[in-house]
Each structure stands twice: as C-alpha cells, then as structure tokens.
Amino acid sequence: MALSAIPGYPRIGARRELKRAVEGYWDGDVGREELEETARSLRLEAWTRMRDAGIDLIPSNTFSYYDHVLDTIAMVGAAPPRYAGGDNDLDTYFAMARGAQGERIDVTALEMVKWFDTNYHYLVPELSPATRFRLANRKPLDEYLEARAAGIETMPVLLGPVSFLLLARGFDADGNHDDDFDLLSLLPDLLDVYAELLALLAEAGAQWVQFDEPVLVQDRTPEELAALTRAYERLAAAAGSTKLLVNTYFGDVDEAYRTLAELPVDAIGLDLVRGRRNLGLLQRFGLPGGKHVVAGVVDGRNVWLNDLGASLATVREIGAAVGEDRVIVGASCSLLHVPIELDLETDLDPELRSWLAFANQKIEEVAVLGRALDDPNSAADELAANRSALESRRNSPRTFNPAVRKRVDSTTGADYDRDGSVEERRAAQRMRLGLPPFPTTTIGSFPQTPEIRRSRRRHANGRITAEEYEGFLEAEIEQVIRLQERIGLDVLVHGESERNDMVEYFGEQLDGFAFTRFGWVQSYGSRNVKPPIVYGDVARPGAMTVRWATYAQSLTDRPVKGMLTGPVTILNWSFIRDDQPRSETCRQIALAIRDEVVDLEAAGIPIIQVDEPALREGVPLRTADWPAYLGWAVPCFRLATAGVRDDTQIQSHMCYVHLGDVLDAVSDMEADVMLLFNARSDAESLDGFRDRGYDKDLGLGVYDIHSPRVPPTDEMVGRLEEAAAVIDPAHLWVNPDCGLKTRRYEETVPSLEHMVEAAQHMRRA
Ligand code: GLN
C-alpha cells in the first residue's frame, strides 16, 4: 500500500476567517474563547478534508495564530526577556509578533524575515548565550489530542531543531546583535526540550512525527551537517515506537543528502518539484536502512493542476531505486503557499479554472496518486480527466500569442543596452533636468488614506462612476504635487493613489494575467496577499500609467517621475506558468513594461522609475544557482528600461537589506539612479560600495519609513555625511528608504521637511 502525506495546510481559512478573528481579538471585539473556537473549527475542517480524501499522514500543529516559527519560540520558552511583563501567554505571543504598548509593557516586535524564497515572513528567534530553553507549552500535543478526539489520527509537525537554530539571529548578553554567536552551541539544550515533547507525543500514541529541516536546501557547512546527525540521534532515542520523518522542501539537498539519508529516522522528505537534482541523488546514493521517502511531486508553491501521469512516472522511478513499498506520495512542501479552495472562484473563466489546483485540489491529487500507485485502474477516471485538462491547456490559444513570441525571439543584444555610456547619460540628464546637488525625491507612493481606500472600494462596487473616481484621483494627485512643492522636493511623484498593489495594478492591465476573488495566501500574521496568475503570453494592450504621470507633470514645472513595477518583481510576486522557463515569462513582461517606459518618455516624462524590490529577494537558495538567475533577471530589467534616450533618466528602487553580495548585479542593471533601502543597514551596504566603487547615482534611504517615528534633521545629515565619505557626493540622492503608502501624513510631512533641510545642509557644507 502506497502511503500519502501532506506536509502542511494553510491556516487562514478559505474565507480568511482567521484574519477576522485575530484582528478582532487585537481590537477587543473578539473574545479569547471566540478566537479559540474559530481556530478549532479551522483545524477540524482541514483535518476532516484530508481524512475524507484518504490522506494517510495528515499534519497537525501546522495551524498557527501568527507564524509557526513564533509558535516554536513560544513552545521552547525562548521569548526574549523584554516580553516578560505580558499578561498571559497569548498576549505575550502577539507582543512578540507585533510589539505591544500598555500599562505593564512597552516593547518592539521581533524582527521579521522572508521564509526562504517564498513571500511568507517568519519572526526571527533572538538567541543568546543566556537563552535557556524549556517546554513552555504543549501545543503540538494539544492539537494532536484535539484531532484524535475528533477521530482523526494526525502527524504532528515540528520545525526541526537545527532549522530553528539556523533561522535565528545571535545576540550577546547585553541584547546587541552578535552575528558571531554560535547558534548551534544551544543545540544540546534545545534537544532536551524537543526530546521531552517527543516522549509526550509518543506516549500519547502518535504514530509519526514530522520534523521540518528546510535549511538543508541551502549551502551548509560540515559542522552544521554534523549537528543534524547529533540532533536526530538524540531524538530517535526519545521517540519510542513513534516514527520520525525529516522533511525538506524548496530545493535540492545536494551535499546534505548523504547525511540526511543516514539519519536514524524512518523517513525523509524531498521536494521533487523545485529540487531538480533530488531524484538523481536518491538514485545515485539510495536510501539505507529500509527508510521511506516522501516524494514531493505535487507542487505546493504554485496553482497548476498536477501532471498526474508524469508524477506517477517519477514516483515509480523512485520506487525502482529504493523499493516500491518505500515511497510515500506527497506535496513538495506545506500547502501554506497556495490558496485554499478553487471552487469559490466562480468568476474565473471555466477553461482556465480547469487547469488549476488550490490546496484542497492538491490534497485530492496526492490521494489519487497514492491510489493509482497501488492500482492504476482504481484511479482511471481521475487520470483520464487529468489528461484531458492538461491537453486543453497545452493546446489552448489563450496561452499563446504569436506576436509576443515573435517579438521575444527577435529581440537583439542592442535592445538590452542604453545608447550612451554612464557619463554621456549623466551629462545629458544634467542638462535637461538642472537639479541641485543632493537632489531630493521619494520612492513613489504617498500615504494611502482611508478616503483613498474608500473611494477605490466605491468605484469597484459601482457606487461611484469612473468619472467621479478619476476626478477624485486627480484631486488627490494635485494635493500631493502641491505638498511636495511646498516641502521643496526636487523630483516629484504623483503619489500612486490609483494603485491597490504594485503588482496587481499592472497585472490587471496586461494580457495573460488572471485574478482570483479568494486566492489569498498568508504573507505574515493576519496579512494575506492575492497573487495574480500568469497563465498566458503577456502583452500590454494599451498605456497603463501615462495618463496619471502626464496629469501630474501638467501641474508643475519641477520634474515628475513616471512610476512602474519592474518585470522581475511582477514575476516573483505572481503565480507564474509552469509550462515554460521563468526567464521566458520574465522577458515577455519586460517587453510589456518597455512599451510603457517608451510611452512615458514620448509623453514628455523626463524620469522613469522602475521598481525591483523583489529582484534581490528572488535569488535562489543556493549561491551556486545565483549566476543563472541574475543572468536573466538583470538583463530583463535592462530590456524593460533601455528603450529610452540618453537624456531620459531611469531610476530604480530595491528594498532588500543585504545588497552587499549582489552589488555587481545592481550595477549591471544600469539604472541611472538607484534608490536603495538602507536606513537600517547603512554600515553594511556602505562597506560594499566602498570596496567595489560605483559609477552611477545612488540614494541610500536616509530614514526608515517602517516606523512612525519622525527622524530629526541632524540624524539624516549624519547619514548623508557617512554616505558622502564613501560615495562621490556629486552622485548622491536624498530619499526615504521605501514608499510612504503605509504611513500617515502626520509623520510623513515633518519627516520629508527634515529630509529637505538635511539636503540643504549638505549643499551649504
Ligand atoms: N513605488 C513603490 C512605492 O513607493 C515602491 C515600493 C516598493 O518597491 N516596495 O510604494
């Protein structure tokens, strides 16, 4: 009998029930009991669905009120001491997630970081030599027993101890960052806690426990791999008759394979969708000791129907390598990263819908694969239906636009390059723009006020006409322009009040994109995103932003910049087609953006900013794979932007902190002005620029927009002086570190006033 396994399930609820409950709890409108009741019913619904589908290994403890790493921090008693004043466990938990201010407590939140290469964010454990672990709660046991009481046997899922430590950040005894602190020195202590928990789960009768060790798909040192062995030797000794599964996902385990395969556990899990080399590793090195392997063949990161025939073939190949009864069919990773229920998407075109699978459909796919492995006849109907849906997708003219194909094929090297050199462009732009030294500008968006949101909603619901809505937006743009003039900024923006989201806004105006109504995916805590689905060749039927940029420019003599989202960011923040390479889809998007760039130039817009916040964060998990990615991602940015004259200035914005390791790529983008997120990591990026040199203009984010704090002028002067010591002051811009859309005007206006004063100070100096 082939077993089937699901490594994790979304927590948010098909209709975002968790968001409402949690936010209601924060606002005091939902009581703790009601919150817990919502959580229980979401868990039960998920377990029941997987049970009914016939899944053998059903995950529990994948529910979370906020984040599973935070759950682990709470469970192992690793809340930093500053949270000690909390009123109860749940409020301490939320204080770590969001910070808290009250009579007994006033604390900032834990740092939040992207979960591997997904758009999910986790809270970073703060660990120091003073950290002492203890089993502070028994959430995994409680949820296991809760499922059992409902008649469902589940497999508790834990973040593995090695991943927990390696995802943490080191601190010294005084609470300062200490990136040299050896996080693995805490492993023995942590294992005591995990072993205690495991013994409880074993005693309660858990048949399987899954440990997630996704850090194994990143570059790892021999010491880290040795720690993995020590960890599972210890845990295996505590497991009794409970079987242990060590799961990996998001990529190839490469040099970790042999260590993983030798662990004294009962099964390992491999991602066979993103991990292209995992199958080969399995075939080459085998799997000793009668272990099982969970073959992650159903894609947990994308929304397409699985090719069941191809998956069966893969699973059979694995069976041939390790023994047929050793294969467990599974999803490539937790289904956390896909929307929940496709059946809710009644507005989607039925043909497109027939090509898709959300979490609930993926569960069925895994179950069908499990049955088909035992007896192909038992799943004959499903396999046939799957074949015909795939066939319809393959042959559908909707996915294929000959004009786009032809255009991509006929791009030449010259399309990727500006005409003039950096110096020629700089001279032409100086002449045209006549800006002072230390020019001031913003990243694009101005505060999205409640009025803006209301007006957008009313337009979407048909309660105001398109004309009324446009009138509202024009008035908004005029206000933003006048405000910037009054503050004294040099390069103005229109404020982006017409945009809901920097990807959705463009996707809605491009061919080849589809939008769902309920296709939410958790981004962090109660925040969810609804990524568009790129199903076909991408083209731009008409201008997307020219109207707003030209309107804004008509109101002022100062230069207004056009504002676009770059191709790599649109790609990385969408569900993209899996029937062609990402680079191919990216080139199509790049050409669509290029048309917009050229149209903006023709409409007289002198500066065009093309944002690429996701270019850095999209780098592959293994450094060996970076050159291949950067090798098409950077050229795609250039393809999007190189169509303009020398005297049109291309700006870009990236907002990832660790840029030091990709400075060559940043430079290769050939943006005339790069406006960077820097407010929180100045020293680090400055070193990079000092060592490497940089020949184009730079703005290094002089204040942090993620905080409501209004920074004083001299603080920004200080940052500018630091930057001017490293970078030619004639090439320096003055800007906040990111868009202002999440801020209020109360903070934005004084902060920008101080920023302009800081620039004036630098000009006098
Ligand atoms: N132009 C966008 C804004 O200001 C850029 C935001 C981003 O890149 N994250 O909102």
Side-chain angles (χ1 to χ4, degrees):
M1 256 286 289
L3 294 176
S4 56
I6 296 291
Y9 187 86
R11 311 122 183 187
I12 59 177
R15 293 190 163 77
R16 288 186 294 161
E17 291 87 341
L18 187 62
K19 176 186 182 67
R20 258 168 244 127
V22 166
E23 291 181 354
Y25 177 76
W26 295 338
D27 292 341
D29 303 332
V30 168
R32 177 150 183 179
E33 293 215 334
E34 192 183 335
L35 173 64
E36 288 176 353
E37 183 47 45
T38 302
R40 258 194 306 275
S41 74
L42 288 171
R43 290 191 289 261
L44 184 61
E45 209 178 297
W47 293 326
T48 309
R49 183 173 287 276
M50 288 185 264
R51 194 242 344 244
D52 292 351
I55 299 296
D56 299 296
L57 305 184
I58 299 171
S60 59
N61 195 42
T62 58
F63 174 83
S64 175
Y65 282 118
Y66 203 96
D67 164 42
H68 54 273
V69 183
L70 180 61
D71 292 347
T72 312
I73 296 172
M75 182 184 82
V76 302
R82 66 176 181 278
Y83 301 104
D87 285 330
N88 61 54
D89 56 334
L90 188 60
D91 292 338
T92 303
Y93 175 88
F94 285 134
M96 287 194 274
R98 320 168 58 225
Q101 237 167 1
E103 262 168 45
R104 296 172 49 199
I105 192 166
D106 183 358
V107 287
T108 55
L110 293 175
E111 187 189 351
M112 194 167 67
V113 165
K114 292 230 163 210
W115 177 246
F116 298 87
D117 59 352
T118 73
N119 289 322
Y120 175 85
H121 302 71
Y122 73 96
L123 289 152
V124 181
E126 288 180 12
L127 304 180
S128 79
T131 303
R132 293 287 167 275
F133 298 114
R134 68 193 166 87
L135 189 60
N137 69 53
R138 299 171 170 195
K139 176 179 180 287
L141 178 66
D142 296 342
E143 289 184 16
Y144 172 74
L145 294 174
E146 182 181 307
R148 242 241 313 256
I152 302 176
E153 174 65 23
T154 60
M155 169 178 64
V157 176
L158 305 172
L159 177 57
V162 176
S163 289
F164 176 77
L165 292 177
L166 294 178
L167 290 169
R169 184 123 196 227
F171 283 75
D172 64 19
D174 303 326
N176 300 314
H177 276 161
D178 176 8
D179 289 329
D180 294 331
F181 174 58
D182 177 15
L183 295 160
L184 288 174
S185 66
L186 298 174
L187 186 61
D189 265 12
L190 183 63
L191 288 175
D192 287 345
V193 176
Y194 270 80
E196 184 183 346
L197 173 72
L198 191 54
L200 291 171
L201 290 169
E203 198 180 294
Q207 291 162 22
W208 282 91
V209 173
Q210 172 179 313
F211 290 88
D212 286 353
E213 294 287 8
V215 297
L216 297 182
V217 308
Q218 295 168 310
D219 305 337
R220 296 273 71 109
T221 63
E223 294 73 37
E224 290 165 342
L225 294 180
L228 187 80
T229 303
R230 283 201 304 283
Y232 288 93
E233 278 169 357
R234 174 78 207 279
L235 292 177
S241 59
T242 299
K243 296 192 171 76
L244 304 187
L245 156 62
V246 177
N247 198 29
T248 68
Y249 38 82
F250 300 154
D252 291 296
V253 296
D254 290 345
E255 80 287 344
Y257 180 78
R258 291 217 268 179
T259 311
L260 178 66
E262 296 284 348
L263 294 179
V265 297
D266 302 279
I268 64 169
L270 298 174
D271 182 337
L272 295 165
V273 178
R274 293 214 159 207
R276 309 258 159 202
R277 299 180 287 268
N278 281 335
L279 176 60
L281 289 164
L282 205 62
Q283 287 170 327
R284 173 143 172 241
F285 297 111
L287 198 53
K291 278 189 200 75
H292 284 76
V293 57
V294 179
V297 288
V298 170
D299 191 351
R301 293 279 297 271
N302 212 335
V303 291
W304 302 102
L305 204 64
N306 187 262
D307 183 339
L308 296 176
S311 293
L312 274 180
T314 305
V315 174
R316 291 209 176 95
E317 267 185 85
I318 297 175
V322 302
E324 235 160 69
D325 52 340
R326 296 287 151 76
V327 190
I328 303 175
V329 189
S332 65
C333 62
S334 168
L335 304 179
L336 184 64
H337 310 288
V338 291
I340 298 181
E341 182 49 70
L342 184 62
D343 291 348
L344 294 175
E345 302 300 332
T346 47
D347 293 351
L348 263 190
D349 172 86
E351 188 184 21
L352 171 58
R353 201 172 59 206
S354 75
W355 304 338
L356 300 175
F358 291 179
N360 289 344
Q361 289 68 43
K362 287 174 189 288
I363 288 169
E364 300 291 340
E365 291 178 339
V366 170
V368 168
L369 286 170
R371 268 187 282 136
L373 266 186
D374 289 334
D375 172 12
N377 291 329
S378 72
D381 291 350
E382 287 96 335
L383 293 176
N386 178 259
R387 268 194 304 274
S388 77
L390 293 171
E391 184 83 357
S392 109
R393 181 175 170 207
R394 241 186 321 269
N395 298 327
S396 170
R398 291 159 176 283
T399 63
F400 191 81
N401 178 336
V404 172
R405 298 285 164 145
K406 200 162 150 226
R407 185 163 173 214
V408 171
D409 287 345
S410 58
T411 54
T412 66
D415 296 323
Y416 291 84
D417 291 322
R418 298 285 293 272
D419 295 333
S421 67
V422 178
E423 278 313 324
E424 285 162 349
R425 278 151 31 209
R426 180 177 273 133
Q429 292 162 21
R430 282 229 164 111
M431 190 103 94
R432 179 173 180 194
L433 296 170
L435 295 170
F438 297 101
T440 54
T441 191
T442 61
I443 302 300
S445 57
F446 267 69
Q448 291 252 331
T449 58
E451 295 76 59
I452 294 176
R453 283 183 230 277
R454 182 162 351 108
S455 179
R456 183 181 307 134
R457 244 187 344 262
R458 295 180 53 156
H459 173 235
N461 297 338
R463 278 190 284 142
I464 54 173
T465 64
E467 265 162 37
E468 284 169 310
Y469 181 55
E470 297 195 356
F472 170 85
L473 292 175
E474 287 189 351
E476 191 63 36
I477 290 173
E478 173 146 22
Q479 263 182 45
V480 169
I481 292 287
R482 296 293 166 245
L483 175 70
Q484 295 172 89
E485 286 178 334
R486 187 174 68 60
I487 294 175
L489 289 154
D490 300 305
V491 171
L492 311 191
V493 296
H494 76 289
E496 302 182 20
S497 54
E498 79 286 10
R499 300 186 192 172
N500 36 2
D501 173 286
M502 58 186 291
V503 171
E504 192 171 9
Y505 181 75
F506 291 95
E508 277 172 345
Q509 303 187 67
L510 292 170
D511 290 346
F513 282 73
F515 291 84
T516 61
R517 281 186 65 200
F518 299 97
W520 297 99
V521 178
Q522 189 175 21
S523 171
Y524 64 91
S526 67
R527 295 294 197 104
N528 306 306
V529 293
K530 199 152 59 68
I533 299 171
V534 182
Y535 65 88
D537 288 343
V538 176
R540 188 197 71 143
M544 304 184 282
T545 63
V546 174
R547 179 193 183 311
W548 303 116
T550 49
Y551 178 71
Q553 185 64 84
S554 75
L555 300 171
T556 181
D557 294 335
R558 302 193 180 200
V560 169
K561 45 181 180 179
M563 204 58 61
L564 304 174
T565 303
V568 186
T569 297
I570 294 181
L571 183 89
N572 283 343
W573 287 353
S574 300
F575 287 121
I576 55 168
R577 51 198 298 186
D578 60 352
D579 57 353
Q580 64 184 22
R582 287 164 80 202
S583 54
E584 186 70 16
T585 305
C586 198
R587 260 189 286 279
Q588 295 180 356
I589 303 172
L591 286 170
I593 298 297
R594 180 184 180 99
D595 292 344
E596 187 72 10
V597 168
V598 168
D599 278 0
L600 283 165
E601 175 182 68
I605 301 298
I607 305 177
I608 299 153
Q609 179 175 319
V610 180
D611 294 323
E612 284 290 17
L615 194 147
R616 166 63 182 87
E617 60 180 48
V619 297
L621 294 169
R622 294 213 174 254
T623 41
D625 299 326
W626 285 21
Y629 165 78
L630 293 169
W632 57 259
V634 169
C636 278
F637 176 86
R638 291 215 306 264
L639 181 59
T641 51
V644 292
R645 299 189 307 263
D646 284 353
D647 69 349
T648 296
Q649 184 170 74
I650 296 293
Q651 302 199 351
S652 184
H653 165 64
M654 296 171 82
C655 61
Y656 198 90
V657 201
H658 303 288
L659 273 175
D661 38 13
V662 289
L663 282 188
D664 288 342
V666 172
S667 178
D668 286 347
M669 289 165 71
E670 286 298 324
D672 299 307
V673 181
M674 180 60 80
L675 302 171
L676 289 177
F677 176 108
N678 183 58
R680 290 201 263 195
S681 65
D682 31 339
E684 195 184 324
S685 339
L686 279 177
D687 285 348
F689 286 112
R690 178 186 299 114
D691 299 346
R692 177 190 183 286
Y694 193 81
D695 59 348
K696 292 161 283 275
D697 282 18
L698 271 178
L700 292 175
V702 294
Y703 82 89
D704 176 10
I705 68 94
H706 301 87
S707 158
R709 185 168 165 269
V710 175
T713 306
D714 54 359
E715 193 177 301
M716 296 197 233
V717 169
R719 283 184 187 285
L720 285 168
E721 282 169 346
E722 278 170 32
V726 172
I727 291 148
D728 182 348
H731 299 173
L732 267 187
W733 285 63
V734 182
N735 55 279
D737 72 351
C738 200
L740 302 164
K741 61 182 165 236
T742 56
R743 291 267 65 87
R744 293 173 315 157
Y745 274 104
E746 290 92 291
E747 308 114 39
T748 299
V749 172
S751 299
L752 291 178
E753 284 169 352
H754 293 176
M755 189 182 89
V756 168
E757 276 168 28
Q760 285 162 351
H761 177 96
M762 295 302 288
R763 286 171 201 159
R764 284 193 301 268

XYZ file of all heavy atoms in Angstrom, residues 69-121:
409
model
N 7.176 29.706 13.257
C 8.468 29.888 13.936
C 8.215 30.545 15.296
O 8.787 30.153 16.313
C 9.456 30.711 13.078
C 10.805 30.820 13.796
C 9.642 30.053 11.702
N 7.308 31.515 15.286
C 6.941 32.145 16.559
C 6.334 31.104 17.512
O 6.609 31.119 18.722
C 5.946 33.285 16.303
C 5.478 34.048 17.534
C 6.652 34.715 18.244
C 4.439 35.111 17.149
N 5.520 30.198 16.971
C 4.967 29.125 17.813
C 6.091 28.343 18.477
O 6.004 27.955 19.648
C 4.146 28.139 16.969
C 2.864 28.763 16.433
O 2.486 29.857 16.894
O 2.252 28.145 15.538
N 7.147 28.099 17.692
C 8.259 27.318 18.234
C 8.994 28.111 19.312
O 9.368 27.567 20.352
C 9.209 26.893 17.089
O 8.416 26.350 16.028
C 10.199 25.854 17.559
N 9.186 29.412 19.046
C 9.823 30.277 20.060
C 9.039 30.180 21.371
O 9.610 29.986 22.451
C 9.849 31.751 19.581
C 10.727 31.898 18.335
C 10.317 32.681 20.699
C 10.656 33.274 17.678
N 7.714 30.292 21.249
C 6.874 30.250 22.450
C 6.962 28.878 23.115
O 7.067 28.764 24.331
C 5.432 30.596 22.092
N 6.942 27.837 22.288
C 6.915 26.484 22.849
C 8.202 26.140 23.599
O 8.160 25.494 24.641
C 6.683 25.469 21.732
C 6.601 24.040 22.236
S 6.455 22.869 20.891
C 8.168 22.702 20.404
N 9.330 26.577 23.073
C 10.593 26.226 23.737
C 11.013 27.288 24.751
O 12.139 27.287 25.247
C 11.741 25.945 22.730
C 11.353 24.813 21.785
C 12.112 27.199 21.950
N 10.081 28.199 25.056
C 10.344 29.172 26.115
C 11.435 30.162 25.759
O 12.166 30.621 26.631
N 11.545 30.509 24.468
C 12.645 31.382 24.040
C 12.208 32.830 23.818
O 12.873 33.565 23.093
C 13.279 30.825 22.768
N 11.112 33.232 24.459
C 10.718 34.643 24.352
C 11.807 35.492 24.991
O 12.206 35.230 26.119
C 9.384 34.872 25.055
N 12.318 36.504 24.279
C 13.346 37.351 24.899
C 12.808 38.015 26.169
O 11.599 38.245 26.283
C 13.636 38.397 23.818
C 13.205 37.764 22.536
C 12.050 36.882 22.888
N 13.698 38.330 27.106
C 13.257 38.808 28.421
C 12.380 40.061 28.367
O 11.572 40.278 29.269
C 14.573 39.122 29.143
C 15.670 38.581 28.302
C 15.143 38.163 26.997
N 12.508 40.876 27.306
C 11.723 42.114 27.308
C 10.214 41.862 27.273
O 9.421 42.757 27.529
C 12.142 43.033 26.161
C 11.854 42.531 24.753
C 12.242 43.623 23.734
N 11.999 43.262 22.364
C 12.811 42.512 21.616
N 13.925 42.036 22.143
N 12.523 42.232 20.361
N 9.803 40.640 26.914
C 8.366 40.355 26.853
C 7.824 39.798 28.161
O 6.658 39.421 28.238
C 8.078 39.357 25.723
C 8.512 39.879 24.379
C 9.671 39.418 23.766
C 7.772 40.870 23.727
C 10.084 39.919 22.544
C 8.183 41.376 22.497
C 9.338 40.893 21.915
O 9.739 41.400 20.713
N 8.667 39.770 29.162
C 8.273 39.078 30.388
C 7.068 39.706 31.070
O 6.341 39.040 31.785
C 9.452 39.021 31.351
N 6.793 40.993 30.801
C 5.703 41.645 31.514
C 4.309 41.342 30.987
O 3.324 41.872 31.493
N 4.191 40.500 29.950
C 2.888 40.258 29.324
C 1.868 39.680 30.294
O 2.220 39.055 31.280
N 0.591 39.914 29.981
C -0.465 39.487 30.888
C -0.717 37.981 30.840
O -1.043 37.360 31.827
C -1.776 40.201 30.532
C -1.725 41.641 31.001
O -1.038 41.895 32.003
O -2.352 42.500 30.359
N -0.615 37.395 29.653
C -0.828 35.952 29.556
C -0.072 35.443 28.337
O 0.487 36.226 27.562
C -2.319 35.637 29.456
C -2.923 36.281 28.211
O -2.428 36.068 27.108
N -3.963 37.081 28.384
N -0.056 34.145 28.164
C 0.742 33.550 27.094
C 0.358 34.076 25.717
O 1.207 34.391 24.894
C 0.615 32.029 27.168
C -0.847 31.590 27.114
O -1.726 32.391 27.516
O -1.108 30.466 26.671
N -0.939 34.180 25.453
C -1.364 34.583 24.112
C -0.971 36.038 23.835
O -0.518 36.380 22.741
C -2.878 34.393 23.944
C -3.395 34.598 22.526
C -2.751 33.604 21.548
C -4.920 34.463 22.477
N -1.114 36.895 24.829
C -0.763 38.294 24.603
C 0.748 38.484 24.509
O 1.232 39.328 23.744
C -1.401 39.183 25.668
C -2.928 39.205 25.496
O -3.380 38.913 24.369
O -3.646 39.457 26.471
N 1.496 37.679 25.235
C 2.955 37.718 25.075
C 3.316 37.280 23.662
O 4.172 37.867 22.999
C 3.627 36.764 26.088
O 3.210 37.156 27.395
C 5.133 36.826 25.990
N 2.613 36.258 23.213
C 2.840 35.748 21.853
C 2.604 36.857 20.825
O 3.439 37.126 19.963
C 1.879 34.568 21.653
C 1.843 33.959 20.281
C 2.723 32.932 19.939
C 0.907 34.369 19.334
C 2.668 32.337 18.691
C 0.853 33.784 18.074
C 1.737 32.773 17.755
O 1.689 32.190 16.519
N 1.479 37.546 20.946
C 1.191 38.604 19.979
C 2.119 39.803 20.177
O 2.408 40.528 19.229
C -0.277 39.038 20.055
C -1.222 38.048 19.429
C -2.392 37.649 20.073
C -0.958 37.512 18.168
C -3.271 36.737 19.492
C -1.824 36.594 17.568
C -2.985 36.212 18.241
N 2.595 40.018 21.397
C 3.547 41.116 21.615
C 4.843 40.837 20.862
O 5.436 41.735 20.268
C 3.830 41.289 23.111
N 5.272 39.579 20.834
C 6.477 39.239 20.074
C 6.235 39.468 18.581
O 7.126 39.872 17.845
C 6.868 37.778 20.307
C 7.466 37.523 21.673
S 8.255 35.902 21.739
C 6.867 34.841 22.165
N 5.009 39.197 18.161
C 4.700 39.318 16.737
C 4.597 40.773 16.303
O 5.025 41.128 15.206
C 3.379 38.597 16.432
N 4.016 41.627 17.170
C 3.643 42.959 16.689
C 4.122 44.080 17.585
O 3.827 45.241 17.335
C 2.117 43.074 16.637
C 1.411 41.842 16.132
C -0.079 41.914 16.381
N -0.668 43.072 15.772
C -1.548 43.877 16.360
N -1.919 43.649 17.596
N -2.049 44.910 15.730
N 4.827 43.742 18.642
C 5.158 44.775 19.620
C 3.919 45.038 20.453
O 2.812 44.620 20.094
N 4.079 45.708 21.578
C 2.914 45.992 22.417
C 3.195 47.222 23.258
O 4.329 47.482 23.653
C 2.606 44.808 23.329
N 2.148 47.970 23.492
C 2.249 49.146 24.329
C 1.078 49.125 25.284
O -0.066 49.032 24.864
C 2.181 50.407 23.458
C 3.376 51.272 23.643
C 3.505 52.347 22.599
O 2.661 52.478 21.709
N 4.544 53.132 22.721
N 1.373 49.140 26.573
C 0.287 49.145 27.544
C 0.839 49.556 28.888
O 1.989 50.000 28.975
N 0.021 49.354 29.931
C 0.464 49.814 31.239
C 1.711 49.094 31.718
O 2.622 49.684 32.274
C -0.653 49.596 32.262
C -1.449 50.857 32.512
C -2.710 50.551 33.283
O -2.614 49.784 34.265
O -3.773 51.062 32.894
N 1.728 47.769 31.476
C 2.830 46.989 32.041
C 3.888 46.640 31.020
O 4.881 46.010 31.347
C 2.266 45.709 32.660
C 1.346 46.000 33.838
C 0.659 44.739 34.296
N 1.597 43.641 34.465
C 1.237 42.366 34.508
N -0.022 42.042 34.390
N 2.141 41.426 34.676
N 3.661 47.004 29.761
C 4.581 46.529 28.739
C 4.714 47.573 27.640
O 3.755 48.262 27.309
C 4.069 45.170 28.199
C 5.137 44.480 27.358
C 2.793 45.330 27.400
C 4.817 43.014 27.107
N 5.932 47.750 27.160
C 6.161 48.645 26.029
C 7.343 48.079 25.260
O 8.496 48.347 25.566
C 6.456 50.063 26.536
C 6.616 51.045 25.375
O 6.526 50.600 24.211
O 6.849 52.224 25.637
N 7.057 47.250 24.278
C 8.127 46.514 23.602
C 7.956 46.522 22.085
O 6.843 46.591 21.573
C 8.167 45.027 24.044
C 8.710 44.899 25.439
C 6.789 44.388 23.913
N 9.085 46.458 21.405
C 9.049 46.320 19.948
C 8.852 44.846 19.593
O 9.053 43.961 20.415
C 10.387 46.770 19.345
O 11.424 46.014 19.972
C 10.627 48.246 19.595
N 8.495 44.606 18.339
C 8.286 43.239 17.872
C 9.620 42.573 17.559
O 10.651 43.229 17.438
C 7.424 43.265 16.622
N 9.573 41.256 17.390
C 10.737 40.540 16.862
C 10.928 40.941 15.398
O 9.989 41.360 14.728
C 10.504 39.024 16.939
C 10.432 38.407 18.339
C 10.066 36.930 18.230
C 11.758 38.574 19.059
N 12.125 40.760 14.910
C 12.410 41.047 13.502
C 11.661 40.046 12.617
O 11.465 38.887 12.998
C 13.923 40.932 13.279
C 14.386 41.358 11.912
C 15.865 41.040 11.643
O 16.581 40.627 12.587
O 16.279 41.195 10.500
N 11.259 40.509 11.461
C 10.518 39.629 10.552
C 11.316 39.468 9.261
O 11.845 40.431 8.739
C 9.171 40.270 10.258
C 8.190 39.360 9.636
S 6.541 40.096 9.685
C 6.775 41.449 8.573
N 11.397 38.261 8.764
C 12.242 37.982 7.598
C 11.498 37.028 6.666
O 10.672 36.234 7.104
C 13.583 37.348 8.082
C 14.346 36.705 6.951
C 14.456 38.400 8.760
N 11.822 37.100 5.382
C 11.204 36.185 4.415
C 11.567 34.730 4.726
O 12.717 34.431 5.061
C 11.719 36.490 3.020
C 11.232 37.805 2.535
C 10.627 37.700 1.166
C 9.799 38.936 0.950
N 8.674 38.727 0.081
N 10.587 33.895 4.579
C 10.756 32.456 4.777
C 11.345 31.882 3.491
O 10.637 31.754 2.495
C 9.390 31.880 5.104
C 9.247 30.403 5.285
C 8.530 29.563 4.473
C 9.740 29.596 6.359
N 8.573 28.285 4.972
C 9.308 28.273 6.133
C 10.520 29.863 7.496
C 9.614 27.217 6.980
C 10.827 28.807 8.340
C 10.387 27.506 8.079
N 12.639 31.622 3.516
C 13.334 31.112 2.333
C 13.001 31.974 1.110
O 12.996 33.198 1.239
C 13.039 29.617 2.150
C 13.547 28.837 3.340
C 12.760 28.656 4.470
C 14.843 28.374 3.358
C 13.259 28.002 5.589
C 15.347 27.721 4.487
C 14.551 27.531 5.592
N 12.694 31.369 -0.025
C 12.414 32.209 -1.191
C 10.919 32.377 -1.438
O 10.485 32.571 -2.562
C 13.126 31.654 -2.436
C 12.691 30.233 -2.767
O 11.963 29.615 -1.953
O 13.066 29.729 -3.838
N 10.117 32.290 -0.369
C 8.675 32.492 -0.528
C 8.320 33.935 -0.170
O 9.183 34.695 0.269
C 7.872 31.583 0.421
O 8.016 32.096 1.761
C 8.362 30.149 0.383
N 7.061 34.275 -0.297
C 6.616 35.590 0.167
C 5.953 35.514 1.540
O 5.225 36.414 1.935
C 5.678 36.226 -0.859
C 6.470 36.630 -2.089
O 7.595 37.093 -1.984
N 5.897 36.408 -3.255
N 6.197 34.440 2.245
C 5.765 34.301 3.630
C 6.895 34.838 4.518
O 8.064 34.706 4.182
C 5.506 32.815 3.933
C 5.161 32.534 5.380
C 3.849 32.664 5.825
C 6.152 32.153 6.301
C 3.537 32.423 7.157
C 5.832 31.916 7.626
C 4.521 32.054 8.048
O 4.215 31.820 9.358
N 6.537 35.458 5.634
C 7.551 36.004 6.546
C 7.441 35.330 7.897
O 6.342 35.114 8.389
C 7.345 37.499 6.764
C 7.370 38.296 5.502
N 6.367 38.246 4.559
C 8.271 39.176 5.033
C 6.663 39.044 3.571
N 7.809 39.635 3.820
